[in-house]
Amino acid sequence: MSEKNKNIETEKAPKPLSSKLKTVALIALLAAMGWMMLKSHLFKPELYKTGGDTMGTKYHVIVCADSGWGWERTATAIENELVRVNGLMSTFIPDSEISKFNDNPSTDWIEVSPEMVKMVKLSKEASKIVDGKFDITVGPLVDLWGFGKKPRKLTAPPAPADIAMTQLACGLDKIDFQENPPALKKKVPGLRIDLSGVAKGYGVDCVAKVLGDRGYKNYMIEIGGETRTRGHKVVLQDKKSWFSAEKQSLPWYIGVEQPTPVEMFEMPTVALKINLNDHAMATSGDARNYHEIGGQHYTHIIDPVTGEALTPEQLGTGVDGEETGSVSVIADTCAEADSLATGFFLLDVRRGIETADRNELAVAYLIRTDDPNNPIRVVMSEAFKKNYAPAD
């Protein structure tokens, strides 16, 4: 072989790595493998939960996150936020903001928080949509029918004259609001407001803000049946390898209970299973809160137009043996859905669906029937059918 060919072969031969370079490469490989192992075990999607008592009911919050770091502080922040909202809007707390407003007989402007004005404004807007069937000033009527802070068992319905007299201190037209500076004004000294028809929904929205501000993007919030979801939950499947596991993202399916009374320790039956798709839902019905007065079943929901608690017959559909059991409304915020649900419940089904379709609202009525093979009939607005059809 010539000297020239030897030189070419020498130039083509790979130069061996130095022992230092081999060590660095090995360390880098081990570090990468270690990080993958650590990430697989410490940063895998899991569900973190908290809950408790609020607003006379229970709340539940579930988030899907890669780590539980900071979750205990978040759970405390959620609890504190609900205490704050309760301190604004609970008529059961003597020194709450709403109690102080109700106890003030002045007909001048009364300074309140921006949130209180926001709820009054929202309530007025909702009332217009449902033809006046939602009214936050019906507290005196609620008391008259025995459903107030001090429940009373009546032997007979209130007299028409007593209902008419009580209505003089009720009506959304008897309260004004201004946003800057935030204040409310009564037109009659005895006017009181009760935000129980919107406060739970607003509490859900406030919890959603707490979670959003802390970076959570996948969660489900529920307070007494009022619900809001965002994103998804992740379920880890069997591991494909030592380093990773297969992940399956699932929607937050929310169940709407069949509006029929249940016995103690009996699990309620789910009538609808819905994917909210990053929205909120509220349900209003008569299955669990009612009075027997003179042998007649009266719902706890007062019709602000007539001043009366309604009977199942008055909540009929025009079909023998049918009663409106509940109505669910889906909206962008839970406060909006909550404020509308009560009003839609008091509208008959035909008017309710017409109103929902006219305003492009997602509304579903659950109707009790006397058919043992089909005890619940569902009537949905077009927006509900299109966007929130029940899951299989």
Side-chain angles (χ1 to χ4, degrees), residues 2 139 150 169 178 187 208 223 234 250 269 304 313 343 370-371 388:
S2 67
K150 298 179 180 179
Q178 66 179 30
K187 293 185 179 179
I223 300 179
V234 170
L250 299 176
T269 301
E313 291 77 17
D370 58 4
D371 181 356
Y388 309 101

Side-chain angles (χ1 to χ4, degrees), residues 7-324:
N7 291 338
I8 292 175
E9 288 181 2
T10 302
E11 289 174 3
K12 288 183 178 180
K15 296 180 180 179
L17 289 172
S18 67
S19 123
K20 184 176 180 181
L21 225 84
K22 288 180 179 178
T23 302
V24 170
L26 181 60
I27 291 174
L29 178 61
L30 291 173
M33 292 174 63
W35 169 246
M36 290 174 65
M37 292 167 55
L38 184 65
K39 186 177 180 181
S40 173
H41 287 277
L42 296 184
F43 298 98
K44 57 185 178 182
E46 289 187 10
L47 299 180
Y48 300 92
K49 305 177 182 180
T50 188
D53 298 317
T54 189
M55 302 181 189
T57 186
K58 299 285 185 181
Y59 76 91
H60 302 89
V61 180
I62 306 174
V63 305
C64 180
D66 288 340
S67 170
W69 291 350
W71 176 240
E72 288 187 7
R73 292 191 298 274
T74 299
T76 299
I78 289 170
E79 183 179 5
N80 291 340
E81 180 67 359
L82 291 174
V83 169
R84 185 189 71 82
V85 173
N86 222 18
L88 290 175
M89 301 181 184
S90 174
T91 57
F92 290 86
I93 300 176
D95 61 348
S96 68
E97 182 174 9
I98 194 171
S99 293
K100 291 177 181 178
F101 173 81
N102 287 339
D103 292 341
N104 190 336
S106 174
T107 53
D108 294 329
W109 286 105
I110 300 173
E111 183 180 351
V112 296
S113 66
E115 288 167 284
M116 194 68 66
V117 171
K118 181 179 180 180
M119 292 300 98
V120 172
K121 181 180 179 181
L122 175 67
S123 299
K124 284 188 170 238
E125 292 170 349
S127 183
K128 289 180 181 178
I129 292 173
V130 294
D131 299 336
K133 294 293 188 178
F134 176 67
D135 192 331
I136 59 174
T137 70
V138 295
L141 286 167
V142 174
D143 292 340
L144 183 67
W145 281 88
F147 289 103
K149 288 189 291 185
K150 298 179 180 179
R152 298 180 296 115
K153 187 170 179 60
L154 305 181
T155 57
D162 292 335
I163 293 175
M165 183 63 68
T166 304
Q167 283 184 297
L168 295 177
C170 302
L172 276 170
D173 60 326
K174 296 181 177 70
I175 184 170
D176 291 329
F177 68 87
Q178 66 179 30
E179 296 178 282
N180 190 20
L184 300 176
K185 184 177 183 180
K186 303 177 182 181
K187 293 185 179 179
V188 293
L191 182 132
R192 295 191 290 117
I193 59 176
D194 185 340
L195 296 175
S196 59
V198 68
K200 288 189 296 181
Y202 184 64
V204 169
D205 294 333
C206 289
V207 172
K209 187 176 186 308
V210 169
L211 294 176
D213 289 346
R214 289 170 175 259
Y216 293 98
K217 297 180 180 179
N218 304 291
Y219 54 74
M220 188 281 296
I221 307 160
E222 182 261 337
I223 300 179
E226 323 303 23
T227 310
R228 182 169 172 172
T229 67
R230 183 184 177 190
H232 56 256
K233 59 181 176 179
V234 170
V235 176
L236 290 178
Q237 307 297 316
D238 293 336
K239 288 190 174 184
K240 285 184 173 182
S241 69
W242 200 80
F243 299 108
S244 65
E246 182 182 353
K247 303 172 187 176
Q248 182 181 5
S249 296
L250 299 176
W252 299 101
Y253 286 119
I254 306 302
V256 179
E257 294 179 5
Q258 185 170 298
T260 52
V262 295
E263 300 294 333
M264 187 176 293
F265 306 119
E266 182 183 354
M267 292 297 292
T269 301
V270 173
L272 288 178
K273 191 178 178 184
I274 300 164
N275 176 8
L276 286 184
N277 295 320
D278 295 359
H279 284 72
M281 181 175 69
T283 298
S284 181
D286 71 339
R288 294 187 179 178
N289 195 353
Y290 61 88
H291 277 178
E292 295 287 343
I293 303 175
Q296 176 64 62
H297 174 165
Y298 287 89
T299 77
H300 72 289
I301 300 175
I302 306 297
D303 187 332
V305 177
T306 65
E308 296 182 350
L310 300 187
T311 66
E313 291 77 17
Q314 291 171 302
L315 291 167
T317 66
V319 178
D320 289 343
E322 288 193 346
E323 300 170 358
T324 301

